[in-house]
Every structure is written in structure tokens, then in C-alpha cells.
Amino acid sequence: MAVHFKQVAIIGVGLIGGSLGMILRRKGLADQVVGIGRRVENLQTAVELGAIDRYVADPKDGVRGADLVILATPVDTYDRHLKDWGSCLSPGAIVSDVGSVKGLLVEQSEASMPAGVHFVGAHPIAGKEKTGVAAGTDQLFQGARCIVTPTPKTDAQALERVRALWQETGSIVLTMDPHVHDQILGAVSHLPHVAAFALIAALANLRDREIPSLDLGAHSGGGLRDTTRIAASSPEMWRDIFLWNRENVVHFIDAYQESLQEFRRLVHAGDGAGIEKAIECAKSEREKLNVRPAVTV
């Protein structure tokens, strides 16, 4: 039998939370899906699009009676949320999330759980640079990976219910230590976002300082657009990801700077053979990647 919940409360009905709500309702995985968020107009849109059944202004009202609560807000808000309404949760309830950082965040969230309430970390690796429930779709997670991050404290039954939920969305569910998750995602997701943000900032600075008449949009081709697509991502979300995974992110930025410096050295020296070899190595590594098009993590 498919996993089923009586009441699911989704806190943050944006792209990820809204898409999950659409699947819960379409597949009948929950009797009721309650939306909680800051913007009433977004929540009204969520109702119209079938992502939630109803919404409430006070999170306490939304989580009371819920057997599953999904945190789909910026990761830095988790502690505030759990302290605000954690005491309203019923014994046996599960709190999970969709955040791109785990590690210390999972440990902190576990410590905030009232007796009898279970936290299970999860990270669906699916999304777009667009945000908001209007960009949601019940096909968003199809074929994508979702990493669940249990610890020795994780309740086994709660873990299996969260795994089953994400399997129902069409995700390929993997299990990973929370800290290992942050190392891997820091390299393959967080660093590329740093690179995209920094590249756009560098181009804008060059334009302003040296070529004020340069129109980036008019003269750019597909290469720039493809390389920097993820620079259109949510500033609030990525600020918190970088801060919560700062040790890994700083380490990987250092490694990236080493690679940039080596490219600079080759170009400055006019070393054509070295440049070609470096590009060939990069090309070979790129061809090994199994990248899902138009998805950010």
C-alpha cells in the first residue's frame, strides 16, 4: 500500500513545496494538504493550482493535527520555526525538509523535536532557477534523485515513510550521512552557484569600470547564458546555504581558485599545448557527467 498521511503541512509553498503538494493531492497521498507561508497571494495561487487544499496565517494552526510537516523555507529559518510551533505537534508526527544543506542543521533540528516527534532530513535534487508555486509541476521530481539523511537518532518507521513519500513522487531515493551530503553537494552544487554568481559580478564590474557601453544581453551568446543560468536563483536561499555549509564551500572555492590560477598561468605564458591539454581534460570530465537538463540542485 502506498504511503498515506492524514494531514500534511507544507511551510513554504514555493517551487519545491508546491510541486510536492500537487503530487500529494493528485495521487491521494494525504487527506488534506495545508499551506503555510508569508505571502497570501502566493498561497491563493497555490490553492488555484491544486498544490494545497487550504492555507492558514498562523503556522501553529497549520501544524496542529498534522502527521507530516515539510519545511520548504530557507534553511536558516528552521530553528525559528521549530521553536515557534514544535510544541503543537502530536506524538508520532514527522518533520522533514527539502533543504540543500544537512550536517549540523539535521543535528540541530533533531535536538529541537518534542518527545515522540521525529525529524527526517531529505533533499530532493530537483528544481529550476525560477521560484514560486506558479513554476511548480507534479512532474518536477520524476527521475530526479532525493537524498535522505538519517542519523543514529532517526526513527526507523519515520525514515521509511519519508522514503516511501519521495518514491511516490518519482524520485530515485538515496541514503547518505548528513555531513557527507554537505561535502558532496558543496562540490557539485554549491560551488557551481558561487562560480555563476561570481562570473556575473565580474562581468558587471568589467562593464562598469572599463566598458560602460557594453550591453551584456545584446552581445552574449548561449555560452554565457548556459554558464550563468543558475545565477538567477534565490538570493535568500543561497545566502543561507553558503553560510550553513561555509567550511565546505570555502574549501571548494580555494580549489576552484587554484584551477583558475593555473588557467591564468597557461594563458599568460602563451602555452598553447598546456591550454589544449587542460581543456581536453575538462572536456573529458564533463562528458562523464550524467546531467539532468535544466535542473538546479
Side-chain angles (χ1 to χ4, degrees):
M1 181 181 294
V3 66
H4 184 270
F5 299 93
K6 292 181 180 179
Q7 179 178 317
V8 177
I10 300 177
I11 303 180
V13 191
L15 173 66
I16 301 296
S19 296
L20 179 59
M22 292 175 188
I23 296 169
L24 288 166
R25 298 188 72 247
R26 177 175 64 80
K27 300 191 74 171
L29 302 178
D31 293 338
Q32 188 173 75
V33 180
V34 181
I36 303 164
R38 296 175 298 181
R39 297 191 299 118
V40 172
E41 58 270 26
N42 184 70
L43 294 169
Q44 291 172 337
T45 300
V47 172
E48 295 167 2
L49 294 175
I52 57 176
D53 293 292
R54 64 184 179 91
Y55 61 87
V56 295
D58 188 344
K60 296 184 181 68
D61 294 334
V63 304
R64 193 174 283 114
D67 46 351
L68 175 65
V69 179
I70 298 292
L71 281 164
T73 58
V75 294
D76 196 54
T77 67
Y78 287 11
D79 188 53
R80 172 174 58 80
H81 276 296
L82 293 173
K83 288 179 178 177
D84 181 38
W85 46 257
S87 61
C88 300
L89 296 169
S90 304
I94 300 169
V95 178
S96 190
D97 76 316
V98 297
S100 295
V101 180
K102 291 294 177 270
L104 294 175
L105 197 67
V106 170
E107 296 174 4
Q108 181 188 81
S109 298
E110 284 181 329
S112 298
M113 291 295 100
V117 176
H118 314 295
F119 183 85
V120 180
H123 176 202
I125 304 179
K128 308 173 184 176
E129 67 275 12
K130 296 181 181 179
T131 59
V133 70
T137 167
D138 61 9
Q139 297 299 308
L140 184 66
F141 309 109
Q142 193 67 42
R145 296 188 177 196
C146 179
I147 302 174
V148 293
T149 56
T151 75
K153 296 181 180 179
T154 304
D155 180 80
Q157 185 176 6
L159 174 62
E160 286 309 306
R161 296 192 79 193
V162 171
R163 286 182 58 88
L165 168 64
W166 285 107
Q167 287 170 343
E168 286 289 336
T169 70
S171 296
I172 301 166
V173 182
L174 308 175
T175 302
M176 192 177 293
D177 174 87
H179 294 281
V180 173
H181 167 280
D182 286 359
Q183 288 181 309
I184 293 174
L185 271 295
V188 303
S189 174
H190 306 169
L191 178 61
H193 278 79
V194 169
F197 296 139
L199 178 54
I200 285 293
L203 290 173
N205 287 336
L206 282 170
R207 177 200 61 204
D208 295 343
R209 291 199 311 260
E210 301 179 22
I211 322 173
S213 62
L214 177 63
D215 185 337
L216 295 179
H219 298 287
S220 62
L224 181 63
R225 289 192 293 272
D226 292 345
T227 304
T228 61
R229 176 180 56 82
I230 54 178
S233 301
S234 165
E236 182 182 22
M237 180 180 77
W238 281 98
R239 173 201 66 200
D240 292 349
I241 290 170
F242 293 154
L243 291 176
W244 275 91
N245 198 25
R246 70 181 73 180
E247 184 174 335
N248 287 316
V249 171
V250 169
H251 175 66
F252 295 136
I253 289 174
D254 289 342
Y256 184 46
Q257 286 179 319
E258 290 179 11
S259 292
L260 285 174
Q261 286 297 327
E262 176 59 13
F263 256 96
R264 183 188 185 282
R265 185 190 68 78
L266 293 170
V267 173
H268 185 263
D271 185 349
I275 293 170
E276 184 175 356
K277 182 179 179 181
I279 294 173
E280 185 60 43
C281 289
K283 180 176 183 291
S284 176
E285 290 296 326
R286 176 61 179 82
E287 289 172 347
K288 295 176 185 177
L289 294 180
N290 181 21
V291 177
R292 185 177 177 218
V295 170
T296 62
V297 295

